[in-house]
Amino acid sequence: MPDYDYSLVDAAIIDAQSNTQRVLREVLARLGMKRAETYGSVRDAADMAAAATPDLILLDIDGEEAEALRLIRRLRNEPDTRNPYACIVATTWQPTPLLVMRVTNAGADDLLVKPVSPKQVQERLAALIESRKKFVVTADYTGPDRRKSPREGAQVPLLDAPNTLRLKATNRWAHINARQLMAEANHFVNEQKLLRISVQVAFLIEFAAIGLTARPPERMAVEHVARVPAFLDDLLRRLDDLGEPGPAESVAKSLKMMAERLRLHAESGAVAAEELESARALARDLMRAVDTARPLDAMMAEVAAAVTGYRTRLEQMAQAKAEAAKAEAAKAEAARVAVATPAANGDAAKEAVGS
């Protein structure tokens, strides 16, 4: 294993247990890390993102799971984060499949199981330095690429995110322009967000269309169209950050008002077909305004494929749930019969004795 120099690395340890804080700090110190701030709760570390985001964050996920996951998402996505590409390693005593999925979907790099050993930490840091995953940007996620197989549909470009841990540990920090590196990465993320949000909004409206025309409108359709305004708020903020509002801004504002109107009408039980078609048209206009280089037909094909795939997954989940319920019912019936059979046999034996 290469001999890394951690003396310039800034680290943060967020853990409610003081003993775990002490152990982790000692482990980092043994590796040569001189600056490791400790926080007793996620709330205590809330200002860390805007103040000076560290190169490495060790974050306990057990005590405040919801708050910890929100912090990870904030570090990755909020505009006030100084270093949204910091290496984030969550720590836990119980790595359940559900917890692993939640941590991964929030944007963490890795999950470390307690109790930790110096060797474990050293190996994880080496992996983050030598083979960190590239970042992917979607409408609602920024972080290490989560896919284990090639992505379907349009190929989403990946970002070799600035890795300040690697730059400092390999003594390259003094030879690069960190500010320019961050600015270029942030510009890439903003542009990708605009593209992916425009497609996501079109997907949400297209998926909701059938359910919104039902009488009464389907609840899932209403929930999906209700998500549109928040995505458009993010898109408008990013347009402003890039200083490129243009036609996309007016289309996004009109579409936001239309989506809010669709939700209100759906909740009252009536969605006019012409309103729905207007929303679809605005969604197409937004994709066209955001991505002038890509043919609209290709973007619409991506949306249609996403809707079809999503509906298929929902049907498969519903079928699996029904089959599981059926199997559980059969199991309960078998148990009931098993309990009843000995009793019936006992009654028959008593009758035979009595005769």
Side-chain angles (χ1 to χ4, degrees), residues 171-193:
N171 293 313
R172 293 168 54 200
W173 182 249
H175 307 291
I176 57 100
N177 186 331
R179 181 170 296 186
Q180 180 181 346
L181 198 64
M182 290 290 176
E184 290 173 353
N186 290 342
H187 186 79
F188 174 89
V189 169
N190 267 337
E191 286 192 329
Q192 288 301 309
K193 281 287 184 184

mmCIF file with all atom_site columns, all heavy atoms in Angstrom, residues 171-193:
data_model
loop_
_atom_site.group_PDB
_atom_site.id
_atom_site.type_symbol
_atom_site.label_atom_id
_atom_site.label_alt_id
_atom_site.label_comp_id
_atom_site.label_asym_id
_atom_site.label_entity_id
_atom_site.label_seq_id
_atom_site.pdbx_PDB_ins_code
_atom_site.Cartn_x
_atom_site.Cartn_y
_atom_site.Cartn_z
_atom_site.occupancy
_atom_site.B_iso_or_equiv
_atom_site.pdbx_formal_charge
_atom_site.auth_seq_id
_atom_site.auth_comp_id
_atom_site.auth_asym_id
_atom_site.auth_atom_id
_atom_site.pdbx_PDB_model_num
ATOM 1   N N   . ASN A 1 171 ? 0.232   14.752 -2.081  1.00 0.00 ? 171 ASN A N   1
ATOM 2   C CA  . ASN A 1 171 ? 1.074   15.951 -2.194  1.00 0.00 ? 171 ASN A CA  1
ATOM 3   C C   . ASN A 1 171 ? 0.914   16.692 -3.529  1.00 0.00 ? 171 ASN A C   1
ATOM 4   O O   . ASN A 1 171 ? 1.878   17.229 -4.082  1.00 0.00 ? 171 ASN A O   1
ATOM 5   C CB  . ASN A 1 171 ? 2.554   15.573 -1.997  1.00 0.00 ? 171 ASN A CB  1
ATOM 6   C CG  . ASN A 1 171 ? 2.830   15.123 -0.578  1.00 0.00 ? 171 ASN A CG  1
ATOM 7   O OD1 . ASN A 1 171 ? 2.421   15.769 0.382   1.00 0.00 ? 171 ASN A OD1 1
ATOM 8   N ND2 . ASN A 1 171 ? 3.498   13.978 -0.452  1.00 0.00 ? 171 ASN A ND2 1
ATOM 9   N N   . ARG A 1 172 ? -0.324  16.712 -4.033  1.00 0.00 ? 172 ARG A N   1
ATOM 10  C CA  . ARG A 1 172 ? -0.599  17.445 -5.276  1.00 0.00 ? 172 ARG A CA  1
ATOM 11  C C   . ARG A 1 172 ? -1.388  18.723 -5.013  1.00 0.00 ? 172 ARG A C   1
ATOM 12  O O   . ARG A 1 172 ? -1.666  19.483 -5.931  1.00 0.00 ? 172 ARG A O   1
ATOM 13  C CB  . ARG A 1 172 ? -1.374  16.538 -6.244  1.00 0.00 ? 172 ARG A CB  1
ATOM 14  C CG  . ARG A 1 172 ? -0.563  15.353 -6.744  1.00 0.00 ? 172 ARG A CG  1
ATOM 15  C CD  . ARG A 1 172 ? -1.439  14.341 -7.454  1.00 0.00 ? 172 ARG A CD  1
ATOM 16  N NE  . ARG A 1 172 ? -2.217  14.958 -8.533  1.00 0.00 ? 172 ARG A NE  1
ATOM 17  C CZ  . ARG A 1 172 ? -3.319  14.410 -9.055  1.00 0.00 ? 172 ARG A CZ  1
ATOM 18  N NH1 . ARG A 1 172 ? -3.768  13.259 -8.591  1.00 0.00 ? 172 ARG A NH1 1
ATOM 19  N NH2 . ARG A 1 172 ? -3.955  15.025 -10.036 1.00 0.00 ? 172 ARG A NH2 1
ATOM 20  N N   . TRP A 1 173 ? -1.760  18.944 -3.770  1.00 0.00 ? 173 TRP A N   1
ATOM 21  C CA  . TRP A 1 173 ? -2.630  20.065 -3.418  1.00 0.00 ? 173 TRP A CA  1
ATOM 22  C C   . TRP A 1 173 ? -1.996  21.413 -3.783  1.00 0.00 ? 173 TRP A C   1
ATOM 23  O O   . TRP A 1 173 ? -2.671  22.309 -4.289  1.00 0.00 ? 173 TRP A O   1
ATOM 24  C CB  . TRP A 1 173 ? -2.938  20.008 -1.924  1.00 0.00 ? 173 TRP A CB  1
ATOM 25  C CG  . TRP A 1 173 ? -3.879  21.084 -1.441  1.00 0.00 ? 173 TRP A CG  1
ATOM 26  C CD1 . TRP A 1 173 ? -3.576  22.134 -0.637  1.00 0.00 ? 173 TRP A CD1 1
ATOM 27  C CD2 . TRP A 1 173 ? -5.261  21.204 -1.744  1.00 0.00 ? 173 TRP A CD2 1
ATOM 28  N NE1 . TRP A 1 173 ? -4.682  22.900 -0.404  1.00 0.00 ? 173 TRP A NE1 1
ATOM 29  C CE2 . TRP A 1 173 ? -5.741  22.355 -1.078  1.00 0.00 ? 173 TRP A CE2 1
ATOM 30  C CE3 . TRP A 1 173 ? -6.162  20.471 -2.508  1.00 0.00 ? 173 TRP A CE3 1
ATOM 31  C CZ2 . TRP A 1 173 ? -7.064  22.778 -1.146  1.00 0.00 ? 173 TRP A CZ2 1
ATOM 32  C CZ3 . TRP A 1 173 ? -7.483  20.883 -2.588  1.00 0.00 ? 173 TRP A CZ3 1
ATOM 33  C CH2 . TRP A 1 173 ? -7.917  22.019 -1.910  1.00 0.00 ? 173 TRP A CH2 1
ATOM 34  N N   . ALA A 1 174 ? -0.719  21.553 -3.542  1.00 0.00 ? 174 ALA A N   1
ATOM 35  C CA  . ALA A 1 174 ? -0.041  22.834 -3.786  1.00 0.00 ? 174 ALA A CA  1
ATOM 36  C C   . ALA A 1 174 ? 0.166   23.114 -5.273  1.00 0.00 ? 174 ALA A C   1
ATOM 37  O O   . ALA A 1 174 ? 0.491   24.241 -5.658  1.00 0.00 ? 174 ALA A O   1
ATOM 38  C CB  . ALA A 1 174 ? 1.308   22.851 -3.071  1.00 0.00 ? 174 ALA A CB  1
ATOM 39  N N   . HIS A 1 175 ? -0.058  22.101 -6.107  1.00 0.00 ? 175 HIS A N   1
ATOM 40  C CA  . HIS A 1 175 ? 0.234   22.256 -7.534  1.00 0.00 ? 175 HIS A CA  1
ATOM 41  C C   . HIS A 1 175 ? -1.020  22.416 -8.401  1.00 0.00 ? 175 HIS A C   1
ATOM 42  O O   . HIS A 1 175 ? -0.917  22.438 -9.631  1.00 0.00 ? 175 HIS A O   1
ATOM 43  C CB  . HIS A 1 175 ? 1.039   21.048 -8.033  1.00 0.00 ? 175 HIS A CB  1
ATOM 44  C CG  . HIS A 1 175 ? 2.258   20.773 -7.214  1.00 0.00 ? 175 HIS A CG  1
ATOM 45  N ND1 . HIS A 1 175 ? 3.357   21.612 -7.216  1.00 0.00 ? 175 HIS A ND1 1
ATOM 46  C CD2 . HIS A 1 175 ? 2.553   19.771 -6.340  1.00 0.00 ? 175 HIS A CD2 1
ATOM 47  C CE1 . HIS A 1 175 ? 4.282   21.133 -6.400  1.00 0.00 ? 175 HIS A CE1 1
ATOM 48  N NE2 . HIS A 1 175 ? 3.820   20.017 -5.850  1.00 0.00 ? 175 HIS A NE2 1
ATOM 49  N N   . ILE A 1 176 ? -2.182  22.523 -7.760  1.00 0.00 ? 176 ILE A N   1
ATOM 50  C CA  . ILE A 1 176 ? -3.407  22.661 -8.544  1.00 0.00 ? 176 ILE A CA  1
ATOM 51  C C   . ILE A 1 176 ? -4.156  23.915 -8.101  1.00 0.00 ? 176 ILE A C   1
ATOM 52  O O   . ILE A 1 176 ? -3.949  24.438 -6.995  1.00 0.00 ? 176 ILE A O   1
ATOM 53  C CB  . ILE A 1 176 ? -4.326  21.422 -8.396  1.00 0.00 ? 176 ILE A CB  1
ATOM 54  C CG1 . ILE A 1 176 ? -4.681  21.162 -6.908  1.00 0.00 ? 176 ILE A CG1 1
ATOM 55  C CG2 . ILE A 1 176 ? -3.669  20.202 -8.993  1.00 0.00 ? 176 ILE A CG2 1
ATOM 56  C CD1 . ILE A 1 176 ? -6.004  21.643 -6.499  1.00 0.00 ? 176 ILE A CD1 1
ATOM 57  N N   . ASN A 1 177 ? -5.039  24.384 -8.969  1.00 0.00 ? 177 ASN A N   1
ATOM 58  C CA  . ASN A 1 177 ? -5.899  25.520 -8.650  1.00 0.00 ? 177 ASN A CA  1
ATOM 59  C C   . ASN A 1 177 ? -7.221  24.961 -8.147  1.00 0.00 ? 177 ASN A C   1
ATOM 60  O O   . ASN A 1 177 ? -8.116  24.641 -8.934  1.00 0.00 ? 177 ASN A O   1
ATOM 61  C CB  . ASN A 1 177 ? -6.112  26.385 -9.893  1.00 0.00 ? 177 ASN A CB  1
ATOM 62  C CG  . ASN A 1 177 ? -6.873  27.666 -9.577  1.00 0.00 ? 177 ASN A CG  1
ATOM 63  O OD1 . ASN A 1 177 ? -7.681  27.721 -8.640  1.00 0.00 ? 177 ASN A OD1 1
ATOM 64  N ND2 . ASN A 1 177 ? -6.641  28.701 -10.367 1.00 0.00 ? 177 ASN A ND2 1
ATOM 65  N N   . ALA A 1 178 ? -7.328  24.818 -6.826  1.00 0.00 ? 178 ALA A N   1
ATOM 66  C CA  . ALA A 1 178 ? -8.504  24.175 -6.237  1.00 0.00 ? 178 ALA A CA  1
ATOM 67  C C   . ALA A 1 178 ? -9.788  24.933 -6.561  1.00 0.00 ? 178 ALA A C   1
ATOM 68  O O   . ALA A 1 178 ? -10.824 24.317 -6.836  1.00 0.00 ? 178 ALA A O   1
ATOM 69  C CB  . ALA A 1 178 ? -8.327  24.063 -4.721  1.00 0.00 ? 178 ALA A CB  1
ATOM 70  N N   . ARG A 1 179 ? -9.727  26.246 -6.535  1.00 0.00 ? 179 ARG A N   1
ATOM 71  C CA  . ARG A 1 179 ? -10.933 27.041 -6.803  1.00 0.00 ? 179 ARG A CA  1
ATOM 72  C C   . ARG A 1 179 ? -11.436 26.799 -8.221  1.00 0.00 ? 179 ARG A C   1
ATOM 73  O O   . ARG A 1 179 ? -12.640 26.629 -8.447  1.00 0.00 ? 179 ARG A O   1
ATOM 74  C CB  . ARG A 1 179 ? -10.635 28.523 -6.589  1.00 0.00 ? 179 ARG A CB  1
ATOM 75  C CG  . ARG A 1 179 ? -11.825 29.428 -6.827  1.00 0.00 ? 179 ARG A CG  1
ATOM 76  C CD  . ARG A 1 179 ? -11.547 30.843 -6.375  1.00 0.00 ? 179 ARG A CD  1
ATOM 77  N NE  . ARG A 1 179 ? -11.335 30.921 -4.934  1.00 0.00 ? 179 ARG A NE  1
ATOM 78  C CZ  . ARG A 1 179 ? -11.189 32.055 -4.269  1.00 0.00 ? 179 ARG A CZ  1
ATOM 79  N NH1 . ARG A 1 179 ? -11.235 33.214 -4.915  1.00 0.00 ? 179 ARG A NH1 1
ATOM 80  N NH2 . ARG A 1 179 ? -10.991 32.041 -2.961  1.00 0.00 ? 179 ARG A NH2 1
ATOM 81  N N   . GLN A 1 180 ? -10.523 26.767 -9.175  1.00 0.00 ? 180 GLN A N   1
ATOM 82  C CA  . GLN A 1 180 ? -10.919 26.533 -10.559 1.00 0.00 ? 180 GLN A CA  1
ATOM 83  C C   . GLN A 1 180 ? -11.460 25.116 -10.733 1.00 0.00 ? 180 GLN A C   1
ATOM 84  O O   . GLN A 1 180 ? -12.445 24.887 -11.452 1.00 0.00 ? 180 GLN A O   1
ATOM 85  C CB  . GLN A 1 180 ? -9.730  26.745 -11.500 1.00 0.00 ? 180 GLN A CB  1
ATOM 86  C CG  . GLN A 1 180 ? -10.061 26.522 -12.969 1.00 0.00 ? 180 GLN A CG  1
ATOM 87  C CD  . GLN A 1 180 ? -8.859  26.726 -13.877 1.00 0.00 ? 180 GLN A CD  1
ATOM 88  O OE1 . GLN A 1 180 ? -7.841  27.270 -13.451 1.00 0.00 ? 180 GLN A OE1 1
ATOM 89  N NE2 . GLN A 1 180 ? -8.973  26.309 -15.122 1.00 0.00 ? 180 GLN A NE2 1
ATOM 90  N N   . LEU A 1 181 ? -10.836 24.159 -10.056 1.00 0.00 ? 181 LEU A N   1
ATOM 91  C CA  . LEU A 1 181 ? -11.273 22.762 -10.126 1.00 0.00 ? 181 LEU A CA  1
ATOM 92  C C   . LEU A 1 181 ? -12.707 22.627 -9.624  1.00 0.00 ? 181 LEU A C   1
ATOM 93  O O   . LEU A 1 181 ? -13.546 21.951 -10.255 1.00 0.00 ? 181 LEU A O   1
ATOM 94  C CB  . LEU A 1 181 ? -10.333 21.900 -9.294  1.00 0.00 ? 181 LEU A CB  1
ATOM 95  C CG  . LEU A 1 181 ? -10.341 20.394 -9.559  1.00 0.00 ? 181 LEU A CG  1
ATOM 96  C CD1 . LEU A 1 181 ? -9.859  20.099 -10.966 1.00 0.00 ? 181 LEU A CD1 1
ATOM 97  C CD2 . LEU A 1 181 ? -9.469  19.685 -8.525  1.00 0.00 ? 181 LEU A CD2 1
ATOM 98  N N   . MET A 1 182 ? -13.006 23.260 -8.499  1.00 0.00 ? 182 MET A N   1
ATOM 99  C CA  . MET A 1 182 ? -14.359 23.216 -7.943  1.00 0.00 ? 182 MET A CA  1
ATOM 100 C C   . MET A 1 182 ? -15.351 23.921 -8.861  1.00 0.00 ? 182 MET A C   1
ATOM 101 O O   . MET A 1 182 ? -16.471 23.441 -9.081  1.00 0.00 ? 182 MET A O   1
ATOM 102 C CB  . MET A 1 182 ? -14.381 23.873 -6.561  1.00 0.00 ? 182 MET A CB  1
ATOM 103 C CG  . MET A 1 182 ? -13.682 23.097 -5.480  1.00 0.00 ? 182 MET A CG  1
ATOM 104 S SD  . MET A 1 182 ? -14.580 21.597 -5.044  1.00 0.00 ? 182 MET A SD  1
ATOM 105 C CE  . MET A 1 182 ? -13.418 20.898 -3.862  1.00 0.00 ? 182 MET A CE  1
ATOM 106 N N   . ALA A 1 183 ? -14.945 25.058 -9.400  1.00 0.00 ? 183 ALA A N   1
ATOM 107 C CA  . ALA A 1 183 ? -15.846 25.828 -10.266 1.00 0.00 ? 183 ALA A CA  1
ATOM 108 C C   . ALA A 1 183 ? -16.218 25.031 -11.510 1.00 0.00 ? 183 ALA A C   1
ATOM 109 O O   . ALA A 1 183 ? -17.386 25.024 -11.933 1.00 0.00 ? 183 ALA A O   1
ATOM 110 C CB  . ALA A 1 183 ? -15.187 27.148 -10.654 1.00 0.00 ? 183 ALA A CB  1
ATOM 111 N N   . GLU A 1 184 ? -15.249 24.355 -12.103 1.00 0.00 ? 184 GLU A N   1
ATOM 112 C CA  . GLU A 1 184 ? -15.513 23.562 -13.303 1.00 0.00 ? 184 GLU A CA  1
ATOM 113 C C   . GLU A 1 184 ? -16.445 22.386 -12.978 1.00 0.00 ? 184 GLU A C   1
ATOM 114 O O   . GLU A 1 184 ? -17.372 22.081 -13.747 1.00 0.00 ? 184 GLU A O   1
ATOM 115 C CB  . GLU A 1 184 ? -14.201 23.045 -13.889 1.00 0.00 ? 184 GLU A CB  1
ATOM 116 C CG  . GLU A 1 184 ? -13.342 24.142 -14.507 1.00 0.00 ? 184 GLU A CG  1
ATOM 117 C CD  . GLU A 1 184 ? -11.984 23.642 -14.933 1.00 0.00 ? 184 GLU A CD  1
ATOM 118 O OE1 . GLU A 1 184 ? -11.658 22.468 -14.634 1.00 0.00 ? 184 GLU A OE1 1
ATOM 119 O OE2 . GLU A 1 184 ? -11.231 24.419 -15.567 1.00 0.00 ? 184 GLU A OE2 1
ATOM 120 N N   . ALA A 1 185 ? -16.210 21.740 -11.845 1.00 0.00 ? 185 ALA A N   1
ATOM 121 C CA  . ALA A 1 185 ? -17.066 20.618 -11.449 1.00 0.00 ? 185 ALA A CA  1
ATOM 122 C C   . ALA A 1 185 ? -18.481 21.101 -11.149 1.00 0.00 ? 185 ALA A C   1
ATOM 123 O O   . ALA A 1 185 ? -19.469 20.461 -11.547 1.00 0.00 ? 185 ALA A O   1
ATOM 124 C CB  . ALA A 1 185 ? -16.481 19.914 -10.230 1.00 0.00 ? 185 ALA A CB  1
ATOM 125 N N   . ASN A 1 186 ? -18.590 22.225 -10.449 1.00 0.00 ? 186 ASN A N   1
ATOM 126 C CA  . ASN A 1 186 ? -19.908 22.760 -10.123 1.00 0.00 ? 186 ASN A CA  1
ATOM 127 C C   . ASN A 1 186 ? -20.680 23.147 -11.384 1.00 0.00 ? 186 ASN A C   1
ATOM 128 O O   . ASN A 1 186 ? -21.902 22.970 -11.458 1.00 0.00 ? 186 ASN A O   1
ATOM 129 C CB  . ASN A 1 186 ? -19.772 23.972 -9.201  1.00 0.00 ? 186 ASN A CB  1
ATOM 130 C CG  . ASN A 1 186 ? -19.297 23.602 -7.809  1.00 0.00 ? 186 ASN A CG  1
ATOM 131 O OD1 . ASN A 1 186 ? -19.374 22.438 -7.413  1.00 0.00 ? 186 ASN A OD1 1
ATOM 132 N ND2 . ASN A 1 186 ? -18.786 24.571 -7.075  1.00 0.00 ? 186 ASN A ND2 1
ATOM 133 N N   . HIS A 1 187 ? -19.972 23.690 -12.356 1.00 0.00 ? 187 HIS A N   1
ATOM 134 C CA  . HIS A 1 187 ? -20.611 24.061 -13.622 1.00 0.00 ? 187 HIS A CA  1
ATOM 135 C C   . HIS A 1 187 ? -21.153 22.811 -14.321 1.00 0.00 ? 187 HIS A C   1
ATOM 136 O O   . HIS A 1 187 ? -22.289 22.813 -14.837 1.00 0.00 ? 187 HIS A O   1
ATOM 137 C CB  . HIS A 1 187 ? -19.616 24.782 -14.522 1.00 0.00 ? 187 HIS A CB  1
ATOM 138 C CG  . HIS A 1 187 ? -20.222 25.319 -15.784 1.00 0.00 ? 187 HIS A CG  1
ATOM 139 N ND1 . HIS A 1 187 ? -20.960 26.485 -15.819 1.00 0.00 ? 187 HIS A ND1 1
ATOM 140 C CD2 . HIS A 1 187 ? -20.231 24.834 -17.051 1.00 0.00 ? 187 HIS A CD2 1
ATOM 141 C CE1 . HIS A 1 187 ? -21.390 26.700 -17.058 1.00 0.00 ? 187 HIS A CE1 1
ATOM 142 N NE2 . HIS A 1 187 ? -20.954 25.715 -17.815 1.00 0.00 ? 187 HIS A NE2 1
ATOM 143 N N   . PHE A 1 188 ? -20.357 21.752 -14.325 1.00 0.00 ? 188 PHE A N   1
ATOM 144 C CA  . PHE A 1 188 ? -20.791 20.485 -14.918 1.00 0.00 ? 188 PHE A CA  1
ATOM 145 C C   . PHE A 1 188 ? -22.049 19.971 -14.207 1.00 0.00 ? 188 PHE A C   1
ATOM 146 O O   . PHE A 1 188 ? -23.020 19.555 -14.857 1.00 0.00 ? 188 PHE A O   1
ATOM 147 C CB  . PHE A 1 188 ? -19.673 19.449 -14.822 1.00 0.00 ? 188 PHE A CB  1
ATOM 148 C CG  . PHE A 1 188 ? -20.076 18.069 -15.272 1.00 0.00 ? 188 PHE A CG  1
ATOM 149 C CD1 . PHE A 1 188 ? -19.945 17.693 -16.600 1.00 0.00 ? 188 PHE A CD1 1
ATOM 150 C CD2 . PHE A 1 188 ? -20.584 17.149 -14.365 1.00 0.00 ? 188 PHE A CD2 1
ATOM 151 C CE1 . PHE A 1 188 ? -20.319 16.421 -17.019 1.00 0.00 ? 188 PHE A CE1 1
ATOM 152 C CE2 . PHE A 1 188 ? -20.973 15.876 -14.765 1.00 0.00 ? 188 PHE A CE2 1
ATOM 153 C CZ  . PHE A 1 188 ? -20.833 15.508 -16.100 1.00 0.00 ? 188 PHE A CZ  1
ATOM 154 N N   . VAL A 1 189 ? -22.025 19.977 -12.875 1.00 0.00 ? 189 VAL A N   1
ATOM 155 C CA  . VAL A 1 189 ? -23.164 19.486 -12.104 1.00 0.00 ? 189 VAL A CA  1
ATOM 156 C C   . VAL A 1 189 ? -24.415 20.308 -12.404 1.00 0.00 ? 189 VAL A C   1
ATOM 157 O O   . VAL A 1 189 ? -25.501 19.757 -12.616 1.00 0.00 ? 189 VAL A O   1
ATOM 158 C CB  . VAL A 1 189 ? -22.856 19.513 -10.590 1.00 0.00 ? 189 VAL A CB  1
ATOM 159 C CG1 . VAL A 1 189 ? -24.122 19.258 -9.761  1.00 0.00 ? 189 VAL A CG1 1
ATOM 160 C CG2 . VAL A 1 189 ? -21.798 18.473 -10.247 1.00 0.00 ? 189 VAL A CG2 1
ATOM 161 N N   . ASN A 1 190 ? -24.277 21.628 -12.435 1.00 0.00 ? 190 ASN A N   1
ATOM 162 C CA  . ASN A 1 190 ? -25.432 22.486 -12.710 1.00 0.00 ? 190 ASN A CA  1
ATOM 163 C C   . ASN A 1 190 ? -26.020 22.205 -14.091 1.00 0.00 ? 190 ASN A C   1
ATOM 164 O O   . ASN A 1 190 ? -27.244 22.118 -14.244 1.00 0.00 ? 190 ASN A O   1
ATOM 165 C CB  . ASN A 1 190 ? -25.035 23.961 -12.607 1.00 0.00 ? 190 ASN A CB  1
ATOM 166 C CG  . ASN A 1 190 ? -25.287 24.534 -11.225 1.00 0.00 ? 190 ASN A CG  1
ATOM 167 O OD1 . ASN A 1 190 ? -26.109 24.025 -10.475 1.00 0.00 ? 190 ASN A OD1 1
ATOM 168 N ND2 . ASN A 1 190 ? -24.573 25.579 -10.893 1.00 0.00 ? 190 ASN A ND2 1
ATOM 169 N N   . GLU A 1 191 ? -25.169 22.075 -15.078 1.00 0.00 ? 191 GLU A N   1
ATOM 170 C CA  . GLU A 1 191 ? -25.664 21.799 -16.426 1.00 0.00 ? 191 GLU A CA  1
ATOM 171 C C   . GLU A 1 191 ? -26.376 20.455 -16.498 1.00 0.00 ? 191 GLU A C   1
ATOM 172 O O   . GLU A 1 191 ? -27.436 20.335 -17.119 1.00 0.00 ? 191 GLU A O   1
ATOM 173 C CB  . GLU A 1 191 ? -24.503 21.831 -17.431 1.00 0.00 ? 191 GLU A CB  1
ATOM 174 C CG  . GLU A 1 191 ? -23.993 23.239 -17.728 1.00 0.00 ? 191 GLU A CG  1
ATOM 175 C CD  . GLU A 1 191 ? -23.057 23.257 -18.919 1.00 0.00 ? 191 GLU A CD  1
ATOM 176 O OE1 . GLU A 1 191 ? -22.360 22.246 -19.138 1.00 0.00 ? 191 GLU A OE1 1
ATOM 177 O OE2 . GLU A 1 191 ? -23.038 24.283 -19.635 1.00 0.00 ? 191 GLU A OE2 1
ATOM 178 N N   . GLN A 1 192 ? -25.788 19.453 -15.861 1.00 0.00 ? 192 GLN A N   1
ATOM 179 C CA  . GLN A 1 192 ? -26.423 18.132 -15.859 1.00 0.00 ? 192 GLN A CA  1
ATOM 180 C C   . GLN A 1 192 ? -27.743 18.145 -15.090 1.00 0.00 ? 192 GLN A C   1
ATOM 181 O O   . GLN A 1 192 ? -28.709 17.489 -15.487 1.00 0.00 ? 192 GLN A O   1
ATOM 182 C CB  . GLN A 1 192 ? -25.476 17.090 -15.262 1.00 0.00 ? 192 GLN A CB  1
ATOM 183 C CG  . GLN A 1 192 ? -24.309 16.727 -16.160 1.00 0.00 ? 192 GLN A CG  1
ATOM 184 C CD  . GLN A 1 192 ? -24.769 16.171 -17.493 1.00 0.00 ? 192 GLN A CD  1
ATOM 185 O OE1 . GLN A 1 192 ? -25.585 15.258 -17.542 1.00 0.00 ? 192 GLN A OE1 1
ATOM 186 N NE2 . GLN A 1 192 ? -24.258 16.740 -18.574 1.00 0.00 ? 192 GLN A NE2 1
ATOM 187 N N   . LYS A 1 193 ? -27.793 18.891 -14.003 1.00 0.00 ? 193 LYS A N   1
ATOM 188 C CA  . LYS A 1 193 ? -29.033 19.002 -13.239 1.00 0.00 ? 193 LYS A CA  1
ATOM 189 C C   . LYS A 1 193 ? -30.154 19.579 -14.098 1.00 0.00 ? 193 LYS A C   1
ATOM 190 O O   . LYS A 1 193 ? -31.294 19.115 -14.069 1.00 0.00 ? 193 LYS A O   1
ATOM 191 C CB  . LYS A 1 193 ? -28.817 19.877 -12.000 1.00 0.00 ? 193 LYS A CB  1
ATOM 192 C CG  . LYS A 1 193 ? -28.132 19.186 -10.843 1.00 0.00 ? 193 LYS A CG  1
ATOM 193 C CD  . LYS A 1 193 ? -29.054 18.205 -10.149 1.00 0.00 ? 193 LYS A CD  1
ATOM 194 C CE  . LYS A 1 193 ? -28.391 17.596 -8.919  1.00 0.00 ? 193 LYS A CE  1
ATOM 195 N NZ  . LYS A 1 193 ? -29.248 16.572 -8.276  1.00 0.00 ? 193 LYS A NZ  1
#
